[in-house]
Amino acid sequence: MPVILETARLYLRSLAPGDLGRFNALHKDPFVVNAVYDGKSPSSADTCAWFKKSLADWNVCGYGPFAVFARDGNCREGRFLGQRGLGFLPDSDDLELSAYFYQAASGNEYAPEAGCAILDFAFTILGAPRVLCFVRPENQRSLRSVGKMGFRQIDDRWFGDRLRRCFEVTQQDLKGAIAENPRFAPMPVRSCL
């Protein structure tokens, strides 16, 4: 059974097997490649392997990437905006929040709105005590976005092959962020694993 999250403007659902083409195109989009991959596009084999791992995460752990859509008039999938999700950090008990959005979605605050829905899921359904997020210091869009979700910087850490800023958020931090930005409030979870 898929996990479906909704906000006033967004419809999010757990990644599904039919999303491979969408997933591959997103990770090869020039805006995403520059923001996330330092301008070097991942191979189709790499994105396919990551996609399969993401589906396995949903099956084994009950969380992973969500496909994010603008809601259409029927409150279902409208225009695909990107992906946002949770991943398990190796060698820790922490979850990490990640984001990949098309440039056309940038500037509309879809990333923090989707993030708040997923963080609410992490705290209320999964029982996570905190969630971490890693941001490249030069990624100004992401640095602004994490603050809107209640994240606060705790240190700088090596993540992958780069030193990144490490942020954390708790359920209390999220509640404060939603109180300041009520339009980010998630609707109740309709279905979950």
Side-chain angles (χ1 to χ4, degrees), residues 4-148:
I4 297 169
L5 306 178
E6 296 176 280
T7 70
R9 301 184 302 160
L10 302 175
Y11 178 89
L12 297 81
R13 66 158 167 77
S14 48
L15 207 59
D19 290 326
L20 176 59
R22 200 178 263 146
F23 188 92
N24 191 48
L26 176 65
H27 288 266
K28 290 183 173 300
D29 178 76
F31 181 73
V32 172
V33 168
N34 286 326
V36 179
Y37 299 111
D38 295 323
K40 184 179 178 199
S41 182
S43 70
S44 293
D46 287 342
T47 58
C48 185
W50 188 26
F51 181 79
K52 287 178 182 178
K53 183 198 173 303
S54 297
L55 289 178
D57 286 347
W58 272 110
N59 290 330
V60 172
C61 304
Y63 58 82
F66 285 84
V68 180
F69 302 88
R71 288 171 60 133
D72 73 5
N74 297 316
C75 299
R76 302 289 300 173
E77 294 179 8
R79 181 173 48 103
F80 177 64
L81 303 172
Q83 113 193 20
R84 182 134 229 187
L86 296 169
F88 182 72
L89 289 172
D91 303 321
S92 82
D93 294 329
D94 290 313
L95 293 174
E96 179 220 359
L97 181 70
S98 62
Y100 305 84
F101 282 88
Y102 283 109
Q103 186 171 9
S106 180
N108 295 303
E109 296 189 323
Y110 291 136
E113 186 173 334
C116 286
I118 293 169
L119 290 169
D120 182 67
F121 170 77
F123 297 131
T124 60
I125 303 298
L126 302 177
R130 71 176 185 168
V131 176
L132 300 181
C133 184
F134 296 88
V135 180
R136 293 173 29 195
E138 65 275 10
N139 189 337
Q140 293 301 310
R141 282 186 172 107
S142 289
L143 291 172
R144 285 189 300 273
S145 180
V146 295
K148 293 175 183 177

